[in-house]
Amino acid sequence: MADVRSLRVGFSPRLDGISARHVSTLVELTVELPPIVVQRSSLRVVDGMHRLRAARVRGDRHVPVVYFDGSDADAFVAAVQLNLEDCLPLSARDRLAAAKRILASHPQWSDRRIAAVCGVAAKTVAGLRRRSLDTGHHQDVRIGRDGRRHPVSTEEGRRLAEAIVRREPDASLREVARRSGISVGTAFDVRRKALGGGACVPAGQKAPAPPLAELAAVSSPDGLPVTDQELAANIRLQLERLRQDPALRYTDHGKALLRLLTGTLAFISQSSNTAGSVPAHCHESLRAVAQACAGGWYQFSQMLPEERRRHRTVGR
């Protein structure tokens, strides 16, 4: 608990300040309200100015609080995140202003990470970054939502990967990706182009891997140069073989796995159309769930080669 007189105006991202109507609503509530989030070092409110005002109107002397330990810049980030989840949502103007402020205080953060915090599109943050008047040092690496450092451009990583592929053609895609600092999908694309005689580093632009390359890097033999159409056909063939396998077809676990695989691939084939019909307020939650699902499938795929090698050893 904290004395209401000790708490100070803090880090609210609301440009229009406190809503008198919302304060009146809170005053009339008989249920216990969530604790106010307060920066410990300054006793400035991070989240809960409306609750604090309501407590003062009611004549409360103390309010429950949760302390936040961090810098002013991080406190503002927390304030934006907490207010996005509030019953009084931030306006588009509030969110855009917050994105500008966080871009200035955390320029090393990726566009997607800032966008996720502020509830705006990553393209919006990218536009703000381009128009920024702050010409500070160039950020070669940005920190993504996963907390990991990611290069702004894959050009240097692609060049290094190409050198590794040509010098060590038997190196696995995962090893090439690790040593060159790029994704496994990008490593696949570099290897495919290196073996096919194409340009591994497109001139003047960042060259992401084709949509199916990430899957190819896991499911196809290392170094096999294939087109996206050939890859799709191969995946359909592999799925059909799995459907005909008695070990999967006639067991409960096998049938469940086949249903998951079939549903996932069916969804991928129409994902672009589905994405366009998703309401904007669902984007962040769906993105988090989709990335978790993708990560889970990838981890599952990595378990299989280990099992296969172990069985081969036992069979010898």
Side-chain angles (χ1 to χ4, degrees):
M1 301 291 285
D3 190 323
V4 295
R5 296 171 298 180
S6 67
L7 302 183
R8 303 165 52 200
V9 174
F11 304 91
S12 175
R14 300 182 187 278
L15 299 178
D16 295 328
I18 294 176
S19 166
R21 177 180 297 181
H22 190 58
V23 170
S24 298
T25 300
L26 296 179
V27 169
E28 296 173 0
L29 293 177
T30 57
V31 297
E32 183 177 353
L33 298 176
I36 296 172
V37 181
V38 179
Q39 186 183 39
R40 190 189 302 273
S41 60
S42 66
L43 295 183
R44 297 167 67 189
V45 175
V46 175
D47 178 57
M49 280 303 303
H50 287 90
R51 279 166 275 160
L52 178 59
R53 178 67 63 84
R56 287 173 173 169
V57 171
R58 288 195 303 261
D60 298 340
R61 299 182 60 183
H62 295 86
V63 290
V65 299
V66 172
Y67 289 106
F68 173 86
D69 294 302
S71 67
D72 288 358
D74 289 337
F76 181 76
V77 171
V80 174
Q81 290 178 304
L82 291 168
N83 276 274
L84 279 179
E85 302 168 0
D86 195 78
C87 57
L88 184 64
L90 295 177
S91 68
R93 192 165 67 98
D94 293 334
R95 289 182 276 114
L96 183 61
K100 291 179 180 178
R101 179 168 171 177
I102 295 175
L103 181 59
S105 64
H106 296 74
Q108 74 278 16
W109 280 12
S110 69
D111 295 342
R112 287 185 179 277
R113 183 170 184 176
I114 296 175
V117 169
C118 301
V120 298
K123 291 181 179 179
T124 300
V125 179
L128 292 174
R129 194 187 294 273
R130 286 193 300 269
R131 294 191 297 270
S132 174
L133 297 179
D134 181 5
T135 56
H137 68 281
H138 175 68
Q139 297 288 334
D140 294 319
V141 175
R142 292 183 188 156
I143 302 174
R145 295 166 54 200
D146 55 4
R148 298 173 60 185
R149 297 166 63 85
H150 301 276
V152 175
S153 171
T154 60
E155 180 175 340
E156 184 59 32
R158 279 175 167 268
R159 293 188 190 281
L160 180 57
E162 180 181 7
I164 295 173
V165 168
R166 296 191 185 283
R167 186 174 62 251
E168 306 171 39
D170 293 330
S172 70
L173 289 173
R174 185 182 295 179
E175 178 67 12
V176 173
R178 184 187 66 79
R179 290 166 57 184
S180 57
I182 59 178
S183 71
V184 174
T186 302
F188 170 82
D189 188 54
V190 169
R191 170 172 282 176
R192 179 177 62 175
K193 290 178 178 176
L195 296 177
C200 297
V201 183
Q205 65 175 359
K206 178 180 177 181
L212 288 174
E214 293 275 359
L215 185 56
V218 176
S219 61
S220 296
D222 286 353
L224 179 63
V226 295
T227 65
D228 287 349
Q229 291 79 8
E230 291 170 338
L231 174 60
N234 180 59
I235 291 174
R236 287 193 293 270
L237 176 61
Q238 297 293 344
L239 179 59
E240 187 57 33
R241 287 176 179 172
L242 290 172
R243 286 173 175 162
Q244 299 303 320
D245 192 316
L248 298 178
R249 187 177 181 181
Y250 300 117
T251 63
D252 291 338
H253 288 300
K255 287 187 286 188
L257 179 59
L258 290 174
R259 285 195 296 269
L260 286 172
L261 289 170
T262 302
T264 300
L265 291 177
F267 172 76
I268 290 174
S269 67
Q270 58 184 5
S271 58
S272 59
N273 294 332
T274 303
S277 64
V278 175
H281 67 274
C282 297
H283 287 182
E284 179 56 30
S285 296
L286 277 173
R287 188 180 296 112
V289 173
Q291 290 175 349
C293 290
W297 275 116
Y298 180 78
Q299 290 178 358
F300 174 74
S301 72
Q302 296 308 292
M303 299 175 189
L304 301 178
E306 294 296 331
E307 280 295 299
R308 184 172 58 188
R309 285 194 290 269
R310 184 174 66 82
H311 288 317
R312 285 178 178 174
T313 301
V314 171
R316 288 175 182 171

